[in-house]
Amino acid sequence: MGRLRIGMLLLALGLAWTAPVRAEAPVRVVATFSILGDLVRQIGGDRVAVTTLVGPNGDAHSFVPAPADAQAVAAARLVVVNGLGFEGWIDRLIKASGTKAAMVVASKGIAPIEEEDDGHSHNHDHAVDPHAWQNVANAKRYVANIRDGLASVDPAGNAAYQASAAAYLAKLDALDAEVRAALAGIPEARRRIVTTHDAFGYFSRAYGMRFLAPQGVSSQSEATARDVAAIVRQVRRDKIPAVFLENVSDPRLMQQIARESGAKAGGRVFSDALSEPGGPAPTYLEMMRHNVKEFAAALSG
């Protein structure tokens, strides 16, 4: 009996010795909105646990943080923000949370587009266009900043972050080529679009499209009857082919402009937020491909 007990003890000790070491807890990261959340997951993989404050189809311009959001920020080791004035509420949330987390401004190093005065009264606070991710080249800067931020709080994961970022940057290069090829088939005279708010300035400059918007760079700005009338006149005068509804906007404004101008109502596009999982734009790569597909379908004819 004694030998049996000794044998069982040795067996238990052997199992304990060979058991794998428990993996360390993932790095808690808070991303302010869904597009950033996707980029963090692409680079961080299973080394990160990401909380996104403004989720799919959510409007970061009108977001009001809740106590649970302050708790998430307080518990984070890294907070990733867009910058360029996009999250007007973030400074207050950071202060209220008392967080000690490191901060990454994803747009750091990007030359911003100054907001243009087009004569419409938009009544918002942005001095620059914050939607820099709409140019794929800028998304590459986002990835580099996120990669470096993750490595700064988790040096042990540096090699993994470098490898993931390199692979994803290659995908972005391929995406940029896809976008250019798809738009090349649209006659230059038809590369004109109306969208709800002015979220595509970086896309316009990068890819040779022209966008008009009755609202400014914030979806919370109020489009007056005068603004809408001016857009309708311009659509008629310039024969702008299509108007598009954004997933973060009220559809009634675009429906009115399409109805009064005679322009074609294109499909729904994604500007400031991804779609829900299983939707047409659940990741940044799929969002850009979806938007370009919608633009090409409406404008190529």
Side-chain angles (χ1 to χ4, degrees), residues 22-299:
R22 182 180 177 183
E24 62 186 35
V27 178
R28 291 187 179 184
V29 183
V30 167
T32 51
F33 67 114
S34 57
I35 294 171
L36 284 186
D38 175 58
L39 296 180
V40 174
R41 291 184 183 96
Q42 298 295 335
I43 308 310
D46 59 9
R47 294 190 69 89
V48 301
V50 183
T51 298
T52 300
L53 299 181
V54 185
N57 295 314
D59 187 353
H61 295 291
S62 61
F63 178 69
V64 178
D69 299 313
Q71 293 170 6
V73 172
R77 290 177 59 190
L78 186 70
V79 176
V80 182
V81 305
N82 182 76
L84 300 177
F86 184 65
E87 306 99 334
W89 38 266
I90 190 62
D91 289 342
R92 296 189 300 274
L93 178 60
I94 292 293
K95 183 177 180 180
S97 73
T99 188
K100 303 300 182 183
M103 299 284 294
V104 167
V105 178
S107 64
K108 182 180 178 181
I110 292 172
I113 294 176
E114 299 291 330
E115 185 189 355
E116 297 180 0
D117 181 6
D118 59 4
H120 300 159
S121 176
H122 298 312
N123 299 320
H124 54 77
D125 298 327
H126 294 294
V128 299
D129 184 346
H131 308 88
W133 61 84
Q134 290 291 346
N135 178 352
V136 177
N138 289 341
K140 294 174 67 176
R141 172 58 59 183
Y142 279 48
V143 167
N145 289 332
I146 291 168
R147 174 200 63 203
D148 294 346
L150 288 171
S152 71
V153 299
D154 179 26
N158 180 58
Y161 300 139
Q162 294 286 345
S164 295
Y168 193 72
L169 288 170
K171 292 181 181 180
L172 291 177
D173 284 335
L175 174 66
D176 187 70
E178 287 179 37
V179 172
R180 295 181 186 281
L183 298 180
I186 301 174
E188 186 172 349
R190 292 184 61 83
R191 295 183 186 181
R192 295 171 296 174
I193 289 172
V194 175
T195 55
T196 317
H197 85 292
D198 196 5
F200 293 93
Y202 294 88
F203 188 100
S204 175
R205 290 198 180 186
Y207 303 113
M209 299 280 288
R210 184 183 177 192
F211 292 82
L212 299 175
Q215 295 170 285
V217 295
S218 169
S219 62
Q220 289 305 104
S221 61
E222 294 292 334
T224 66
R226 180 181 178 184
D227 295 334
V228 174
I231 290 289
V232 168
R233 287 195 300 271
Q234 188 167 0
V235 170
R236 289 173 176 170
R237 182 183 68 242
D238 296 344
K239 296 181 173 59
I240 294 173
V243 299
F244 286 85
L245 172 68
E246 297 165 45
N247 65 320
V248 298
S249 301
D250 187 327
R252 291 173 294 182
L253 181 60
M254 286 297 97
Q255 291 167 353
Q256 178 186 355
I257 292 172
R259 183 173 61 251
E260 295 183 8
S261 69
K264 178 180 179 180
R268 186 172 67 156
V269 295
F270 295 80
S271 55
D272 293 12
L274 301 177
S275 72
E276 67 285 351
T283 68
Y284 174 77
L285 296 176
E286 291 172 284
M287 179 192 80
M288 295 297 288
R289 290 189 177 108
H290 170 85
N291 287 350
V292 169
K293 181 179 178 181
E294 292 294 331
F295 294 154
L299 302 180

